[in-house]
Every structure is written in C-alpha cells, then in structure tokens.
Amino acid sequence: MSKLKFIKKKNSGRDSSGQVSMRHQGGEQKRYIRVIDFKRDKKDVEGKVVAIEYDPNRTCDIALVQYKDGERRYILAPEGLKLNAAVISGDDVDLRVGNAMPLSAMPIGTVVHNVEINPGQGGQIARVREQAQQLQPKRAIMFI
C-alpha cells in the first residue's frame, strides 16, 4: 500500500549549494502533499467515500475513497459528493456524482470536472473548487 501523503520539502529561498539566493522566503508552516488519483484508472471496482478533507495545497476539497479490495486513494471531491457515497469508474456506470466515465458515454449537457485532454493522461481541466464544464454538442462549422 502506497503512502497517501508525504511532507513537502522546504527550500527557504536557498539554492543547491545552500546559500540564500532569494530573501524573505523562510519560515513556512509544515505541509503535507496528498497524492491525488487524477487518472481514476481503477475500473469497475466500487469504492466508498470514507472522508472529505481540506487540502491546503489546492482550492478543491479532496475525498478519501476506500475500494472493495482495501486500497485507499484520494480523489477530487466534486460538488455534492456526500460521506459514505459509492463511487466507481468505468465505461458502463451510472451517471451519479463522483463516478468517472469517458465523455463518449455521457449525455449532452452533463456537468463534468477533472477532464482528461488525452485518454490515460489524467485530469487536467476543471480541477479547482466549484469549477465545472458542461458537455456541449460538436458543431460543424463551414466557411464559404
């Protein structure tokens, strides 16, 4: 089982030799970096939202999901995700808050977040708090 969070290294304005290269940079609070699952590549395994947490490194809340096989992962918590909700990712899943599926399987007008630009690359669009995209139909534009 991998660690879900680790301590963020502080540089305090120092370069590789240890000398101060930028003033007024020291003394920040210790922070933990949480490892977020942007890919949601655990297909057809149902998970349960165990906790919804505040992450100081991003504007979006994160949800701790425990899957049926015992693995735990952090995901970005969409607006409306509740504690003890069931989430799943796959091609043929229900259209509910927290589920992940390809855009081709969603109806037009669906509000989505954490969108991949290329399949398998991980979510890169609409990852901040209360930001979402609405799925629009593709229109053919012709110029004469």
Side-chain angles (χ1 to χ4, degrees), residues 40 45-48 75 78-82 84-89 92-101 105-107 110-113:
R40 300 286 300 270
V45 179
E46 189 170 310
K48 178 180 157 187
I75 64 168
E79 191 175 350
L81 187 67
K82 304 282 188 214
N84 297 323
V87 295
I88 191 168
S89 64
D92 301 321
V93 297
D94 294 336
L95 191 63
R96 287 186 300 179
V97 174
N99 287 353
M101 64 187 80
M106 293 183 187
T110 304
V111 177
V112 295
H113 81 290

mmCIF file of all heavy atoms in Angstrom, residues 40 45-48 75 78-82 84-89 92-101 105-107 110-113:
data_model
loop_
_atom_site.group_PDB
_atom_site.id
_atom_site.type_symbol
_atom_site.label_atom_id
_atom_site.label_comp_id
_atom_site.label_asym_id
_atom_site.label_seq_id
_atom_site.Cartn_x
_atom_site.Cartn_y
_atom_site.Cartn_z
ATOM 1 N N ARG A 40 -8.038 8.037 -12.195
ATOM 2 C CA ARG A 40 -9.210 7.205 -11.850
ATOM 3 C C ARG A 40 -9.184 5.919 -12.679
ATOM 4 O O ARG A 40 -10.160 5.522 -13.309
ATOM 5 C CB ARG A 40 -10.516 7.954 -12.087
ATOM 6 C CG ARG A 40 -10.701 9.237 -11.309
ATOM 7 C CD ARG A 40 -11.002 9.030 -9.852
ATOM 8 N NE ARG A 40 -12.195 8.274 -9.592
ATOM 9 C CZ ARG A 40 -13.397 8.803 -9.441
ATOM 10 N NH1 ARG A 40 -13.547 10.100 -9.528
ATOM 11 N NH2 ARG A 40 -14.421 8.030 -9.183
ATOM 12 N N VAL A 45 -14.360 -1.200 -10.008
ATOM 13 C CA VAL A 45 -14.218 -1.564 -8.597
ATOM 14 C C VAL A 45 -14.897 -0.458 -7.799
ATOM 15 O O VAL A 45 -14.510 0.700 -7.883
ATOM 16 C CB VAL A 45 -12.734 -1.691 -8.180
ATOM 17 C CG1 VAL A 45 -12.633 -2.048 -6.711
ATOM 18 C CG2 VAL A 45 -12.031 -2.727 -9.032
ATOM 19 N N GLU A 46 -15.916 -0.827 -7.050
ATOM 20 C CA GLU A 46 -16.679 0.174 -6.317
ATOM 21 C C GLU A 46 -15.920 0.612 -5.076
ATOM 22 O O GLU A 46 -15.273 -0.189 -4.406
ATOM 23 C CB GLU A 46 -18.041 -0.389 -5.919
ATOM 24 C CG GLU A 46 -18.973 0.652 -5.352
ATOM 25 C CD GLU A 46 -20.382 0.131 -5.185
ATOM 26 O OE1 GLU A 46 -20.918 -0.436 -6.140
ATOM 27 O OE2 GLU A 46 -20.929 0.306 -4.080
ATOM 28 N N GLY A 47 -16.023 1.897 -4.784
ATOM 29 C CA GLY A 47 -15.381 2.460 -3.601
ATOM 30 C C GLY A 47 -16.374 3.245 -2.778
ATOM 31 O O GLY A 47 -17.428 3.661 -3.255
ATOM 32 N N LYS A 48 -16.031 3.455 -1.518
ATOM 33 C CA LYS A 48 -16.902 4.189 -0.604
ATOM 34 C C LYS A 48 -16.138 5.406 -0.086
ATOM 35 O O LYS A 48 -14.959 5.288 0.284
ATOM 36 C CB LYS A 48 -17.288 3.272 0.550
ATOM 37 C CG LYS A 48 -18.154 3.896 1.596
ATOM 38 C CD LYS A 48 -18.444 2.859 2.669
ATOM 39 C CE LYS A 48 -18.799 3.540 3.962
ATOM 40 N NZ LYS A 48 -18.919 2.596 5.057
ATOM 41 N N ILE A 75 -9.325 11.385 -4.183
ATOM 42 C CA ILE A 75 -9.832 11.918 -5.444
ATOM 43 C C ILE A 75 -10.302 13.345 -5.191
ATOM 44 O O ILE A 75 -10.508 13.739 -4.043
ATOM 45 C CB ILE A 75 -10.985 11.072 -6.034
ATOM 46 C CG1 ILE A 75 -12.208 11.084 -5.113
ATOM 47 C CG2 ILE A 75 -10.542 9.658 -6.329
ATOM 48 C CD1 ILE A 75 -13.460 10.522 -5.737
ATOM 49 N N PRO A 78 -16.107 16.300 -6.049
ATOM 50 C CA PRO A 78 -16.997 17.197 -6.794
ATOM 51 C C PRO A 78 -18.064 17.773 -5.873
ATOM 52 O O PRO A 78 -18.315 17.256 -4.777
ATOM 53 C CB PRO A 78 -17.618 16.284 -7.848
ATOM 54 C CG PRO A 78 -17.524 14.920 -7.284
ATOM 55 C CD PRO A 78 -16.306 14.904 -6.413
ATOM 56 N N GLU A 79 -18.674 18.849 -6.320
ATOM 57 C CA GLU A 79 -19.715 19.492 -5.528
ATOM 58 C C GLU A 79 -20.913 18.549 -5.416
ATOM 59 O O GLU A 79 -21.402 18.020 -6.405
ATOM 60 C CB GLU A 79 -20.139 20.793 -6.206
ATOM 61 C CG GLU A 79 -21.006 21.656 -5.359
ATOM 62 C CD GLU A 79 -21.309 22.987 -6.022
ATOM 63 O OE1 GLU A 79 -20.690 23.295 -7.055
ATOM 64 O OE2 GLU A 79 -22.164 23.701 -5.502
ATOM 65 N N GLY A 80 -21.345 18.289 -4.203
ATOM 66 C CA GLY A 80 -22.483 17.406 -3.976
ATOM 67 C C GLY A 80 -22.102 16.006 -3.535
ATOM 68 O O GLY A 80 -22.977 15.191 -3.256
ATOM 69 N N LEU A 81 -20.812 15.685 -3.467
ATOM 70 C CA LEU A 81 -20.383 14.363 -3.010
ATOM 71 C C LEU A 81 -20.548 14.274 -1.503
ATOM 72 O O LEU A 81 -20.098 15.145 -0.764
ATOM 73 C CB LEU A 81 -18.927 14.108 -3.397
ATOM 74 C CG LEU A 81 -18.404 12.699 -3.137
ATOM 75 C CD1 LEU A 81 -19.106 11.708 -4.054
ATOM 76 C CD2 LEU A 81 -16.913 12.639 -3.348
ATOM 77 N N LYS A 82 -21.209 13.238 -1.034
ATOM 78 C CA LYS A 82 -21.505 13.070 0.386
ATOM 79 C C LYS A 82 -20.645 11.958 0.977
ATOM 80 O O LYS A 82 -20.098 11.122 0.263
ATOM 81 C CB LYS A 82 -22.979 12.702 0.579
ATOM 82 C CG LYS A 82 -23.948 13.688 -0.026
ATOM 83 C CD LYS A 82 -24.090 14.896 0.824
ATOM 84 C CE LYS A 82 -25.218 15.757 0.278
ATOM 85 N NZ LYS A 82 -24.968 17.157 0.455
ATOM 86 N N ASN A 84 -19.927 8.488 2.775
ATOM 87 C CA ASN A 84 -20.453 7.126 2.585
ATOM 88 C C ASN A 84 -21.104 6.914 1.228
ATOM 89 O O ASN A 84 -21.832 5.943 1.040
ATOM 90 C CB ASN A 84 -21.443 6.745 3.690
ATOM 91 C CG ASN A 84 -20.788 6.717 5.052
ATOM 92 O OD1 ASN A 84 -19.637 6.318 5.186
ATOM 93 N ND2 ASN A 84 -21.502 7.176 6.059
ATOM 94 N N ALA A 85 -20.859 7.799 0.272
ATOM 95 C CA ALA A 85 -21.393 7.613 -1.078
ATOM 96 C C ALA A 85 -20.541 6.590 -1.817
ATOM 97 O O ALA A 85 -19.340 6.460 -1.577
ATOM 98 C CB ALA A 85 -21.389 8.938 -1.840
ATOM 99 N N ALA A 86 -21.171 5.857 -2.720
ATOM 100 C CA ALA A 86 -20.457 4.868 -3.531
ATOM 101 C C ALA A 86 -19.997 5.524 -4.822
ATOM 102 O O ALA A 86 -20.773 6.203 -5.493
ATOM 103 C CB ALA A 86 -21.370 3.684 -3.836
ATOM 104 N N VAL A 87 -18.725 5.349 -5.156
ATOM 105 C CA VAL A 87 -18.173 5.876 -6.400
ATOM 106 C C VAL A 87 -17.525 4.737 -7.168
ATOM 107 O O VAL A 87 -17.025 3.777 -6.579
ATOM 108 C CB VAL A 87 -17.142 7.007 -6.155
ATOM 109 C CG1 VAL A 87 -17.801 8.209 -5.537
ATOM 110 C CG2 VAL A 87 -16.000 6.540 -5.305
ATOM 111 N N ILE A 88 -17.550 4.850 -8.495
ATOM 112 C CA ILE A 88 -16.985 3.821 -9.358
ATOM 113 C C ILE A 88 -16.542 4.484 -10.654
ATOM 114 O O ILE A 88 -17.100 5.509 -11.054
ATOM 115 C CB ILE A 88 -18.013 2.688 -9.610
ATOM 116 C CG1 ILE A 88 -17.379 1.488 -10.287
ATOM 117 C CG2 ILE A 88 -19.204 3.185 -10.378
ATOM 118 C CD1 ILE A 88 -18.254 0.254 -10.297
ATOM 119 N N SER A 89 -15.545 3.917 -11.286
ATOM 120 C CA SER A 89 -15.125 4.415 -12.590
ATOM 121 C C SER A 89 -15.156 3.255 -13.574
ATOM 122 O O SER A 89 -14.848 2.121 -13.225
ATOM 123 C CB SER A 89 -13.728 5.024 -12.520
ATOM 124 O OG SER A 89 -12.781 4.037 -12.193
ATOM 125 N N ASP A 92 -19.355 1.613 -18.399
ATOM 126 C CA ASP A 92 -20.815 1.487 -18.278
ATOM 127 C C ASP A 92 -21.239 1.642 -16.821
ATOM 128 O O ASP A 92 -21.652 0.688 -16.174
ATOM 129 C CB ASP A 92 -21.263 0.123 -18.814
ATOM 130 C CG ASP A 92 -20.879 -0.076 -20.264
ATOM 131 O OD1 ASP A 92 -20.974 0.896 -21.028
ATOM 132 O OD2 ASP A 92 -20.488 -1.199 -20.633
ATOM 133 N N VAL A 93 -21.120 2.855 -16.297
ATOM 134 C CA VAL A 93 -21.522 3.107 -14.913
ATOM 135 C C VAL A 93 -22.663 4.120 -14.906
ATOM 136 O O VAL A 93 -22.909 4.803 -15.897
ATOM 137 C CB VAL A 93 -20.331 3.617 -14.065
ATOM 138 C CG1 VAL A 93 -19.239 2.580 -13.980
ATOM 139 C CG2 VAL A 93 -19.785 4.905 -14.615
ATOM 140 N N ASP A 94 -23.354 4.184 -13.773
ATOM 141 C CA ASP A 94 -24.459 5.132 -13.642
ATOM 142 C C ASP A 94 -23.929 6.559 -13.624
ATOM 143 O O ASP A 94 -22.815 6.828 -13.177
ATOM 144 C CB ASP A 94 -25.229 4.872 -12.350
ATOM 145 C CG ASP A 94 -25.935 3.531 -12.372
ATOM 146 O OD1 ASP A 94 -26.212 3.034 -13.478
ATOM 147 O OD2 ASP A 94 -26.184 2.987 -11.280
ATOM 148 N N LEU A 95 -24.756 7.478 -14.058
ATOM 149 C CA LEU A 95 -24.417 8.896 -14.080
ATOM 150 C C LEU A 95 -24.775 9.490 -12.723
ATOM 151 O O LEU A 95 -25.889 9.958 -12.501
ATOM 152 C CB LEU A 95 -25.175 9.596 -15.210
ATOM 153 C CG LEU A 95 -24.735 11.013 -15.527
ATOM 154 C CD1 LEU A 95 -23.298 11.021 -16.004
ATOM 155 C CD2 LEU A 95 -25.627 11.612 -16.577
ATOM 156 N N ARG A 96 -23.826 9.422 -11.767
ATOM 157 C CA ARG A 96 -24.009 9.950 -10.420
ATOM 158 C C ARG A 96 -22.817 10.817 -10.056
ATOM 159 O O ARG A 96 -21.759 10.742 -10.680
ATOM 160 C CB ARG A 96 -24.118 8.804 -9.405
ATOM 161 C CG ARG A 96 -25.429 8.052 -9.463
ATOM 162 C CD ARG A 96 -25.490 7.069 -8.339
ATOM 163 N NE ARG A 96 -24.369 6.133 -8.472
ATOM 164 C CZ ARG A 96 -24.118 5.150 -7.631
ATOM 165 N NH1 ARG A 96 -24.877 4.970 -6.599
ATOM 166 N NH2 ARG A 96 -23.096 4.348 -7.814
ATOM 167 N N VAL A 97 -22.985 11.609 -9.008
ATOM 168 C CA VAL A 97 -21.900 12.464 -8.537
ATOM 169 C C VAL A 97 -20.758 11.587 -8.021
ATOM 170 O O VAL A 97 -20.970 10.701 -7.201
ATOM 171 C CB VAL A 97 -22.396 13.393 -7.407
ATOM 172 C CG1 VAL A 97 -21.248 14.178 -6.810
ATOM 173 C CG2 VAL A 97 -23.460 14.315 -7.931
ATOM 174 N N GLY A 98 -19.550 11.817 -8.531
ATOM 175 C CA GLY A 98 -18.373 11.084 -8.089
ATOM 176 C C GLY A 98 -17.951 9.968 -9.015
ATOM 177 O O GLY A 98 -16.818 9.499 -8.918
ATOM 178 N N ASN A 99 -18.827 9.521 -9.906
ATOM 179 C CA ASN A 99 -18.456 8.461 -10.830
ATOM 180 C C ASN A 99 -17.616 9.024 -11.972
ATOM 181 O O ASN A 99 -17.784 10.173 -12.366
ATOM 182 C CB ASN A 99 -19.695 7.762 -11.394
ATOM 183 C CG ASN A 99 -20.367 6.879 -10.374
ATOM 184 O OD1 ASN A 99 -19.843 6.676 -9.288
ATOM 185 N ND2 ASN A 99 -21.515 6.365 -10.707
ATOM 186 N N ALA A 100 -16.729 8.188 -12.510
ATOM 187 C CA ALA A 100 -15.865 8.608 -13.619
ATOM 188 C C ALA A 100 -16.134 7.697 -14.815
ATOM 189 O O ALA A 100 -16.219 6.484 -14.671
ATOM 190 C CB ALA A 100 -14.401 8.516 -13.214
ATOM 191 N N MET A 101 -16.267 8.321 -15.995
ATOM 192 C CA MET A 101 -16.532 7.571 -17.220
ATOM 193 C C MET A 101 -16.025 8.381 -18.400
ATOM 194 O O MET A 101 -15.754 9.574 -18.279
ATOM 195 C CB MET A 101 -18.024 7.297 -17.355
ATOM 196 C CG MET A 101 -18.884 8.531 -17.507
ATOM 197 S SD MET A 101 -20.636 8.207 -17.464
ATOM 198 C CE MET A 101 -20.914 8.059 -15.716
ATOM 199 N N ALA A 105 -19.537 8.341 -23.222
ATOM 200 C CA ALA A 105 -20.629 7.630 -22.564
ATOM 201 C C ALA A 105 -21.592 8.566 -21.850
ATOM 202 O O ALA A 105 -22.592 8.114 -21.298
ATOM 203 C CB ALA A 105 -20.063 6.622 -21.567
ATOM 204 N N MET A 106 -21.327 9.879 -21.876
ATOM 205 C CA MET A 106 -22.165 10.833 -21.157
ATOM 206 C C MET A 106 -23.135 11.513 -22.104
ATOM 207 O O MET A 106 -22.792 11.799 -23.244
ATOM 208 C CB MET A 106 -21.290 11.905 -20.506
ATOM 209 C CG MET A 106 -20.422 11.393 -19.426
ATOM 210 S SD MET A 106 -19.528 12.755 -18.705
ATOM 211 C CE MET A 106 -18.437 11.876 -17.637
ATOM 212 N N PRO A 107 -24.340 11.821 -21.635
ATOM 213 C CA PRO A 107 -25.278 12.571 -22.475
ATOM 214 C C PRO A 107 -24.882 14.034 -22.583
ATOM 215 O O PRO A 107 -24.152 14.556 -21.734
ATOM 216 C CB PRO A 107 -26.620 12.405 -21.746
ATOM 217 C CG PRO A 107 -26.254 12.103 -20.341
ATOM 218 C CD PRO A 107 -24.943 11.374 -20.377
ATOM 219 N N THR A 110 -24.262 17.267 -19.649
ATOM 220 C CA THR A 110 -23.786 16.803 -18.354
ATOM 221 C C THR A 110 -22.692 17.733 -17.845
ATOM 222 O O THR A 110 -21.832 18.168 -18.589
ATOM 223 C CB THR A 110 -23.215 15.374 -18.491
ATOM 224 O OG1 THR A 110 -24.203 14.524 -19.054
ATOM 225 C CG2 THR A 110 -22.805 14.824 -17.152
ATOM 226 N N VAL A 111 -22.723 18.035 -16.560
ATOM 227 C CA VAL A 111 -21.696 18.860 -15.940
ATOM 228 C C VAL A 111 -20.584 17.936 -15.453
ATOM 229 O O VAL A 111 -20.834 16.977 -14.720
ATOM 230 C CB VAL A 111 -22.279 19.676 -14.767
ATOM 231 C CG1 VAL A 111 -21.210 20.475 -14.082
ATOM 232 C CG2 VAL A 111 -23.387 20.581 -15.274
ATOM 233 N N VAL A 112 -19.356 18.213 -15.900
ATOM 234 C CA VAL A 112 -18.223 17.342 -15.586
ATOM 235 C C VAL A 112 -17.100 18.158 -14.950
ATOM 236 O O VAL A 112 -17.058 19.380 -15.049
ATOM 237 C CB VAL A 112 -17.699 16.632 -16.854
ATOM 238 C CG1 VAL A 112 -18.745 15.701 -17.413
ATOM 239 C CG2 VAL A 112 -17.271 17.631 -17.913
ATOM 240 N N HIS A 113 -16.167 17.481 -14.282
ATOM 241 C CA HIS A 113 -14.957 18.099 -13.747
ATOM 242 C C HIS A 113 -13.812 17.105 -13.910
ATOM 243 O O HIS A 113 -14.025 15.939 -14.237
ATOM 244 C CB HIS A 113 -15.147 18.481 -12.273
ATOM 245 C CG HIS A 113 -14.955 17.339 -11.338
ATOM 246 N ND1 HIS A 113 -15.842 16.301 -11.252
ATOM 247 C CD2 HIS A 113 -13.955 17.064 -10.473
ATOM 248 C CE1 HIS A 113 -15.411 15.435 -10.360
ATOM 249 N NE2 HIS A 113 -14.263 15.872 -9.873
#
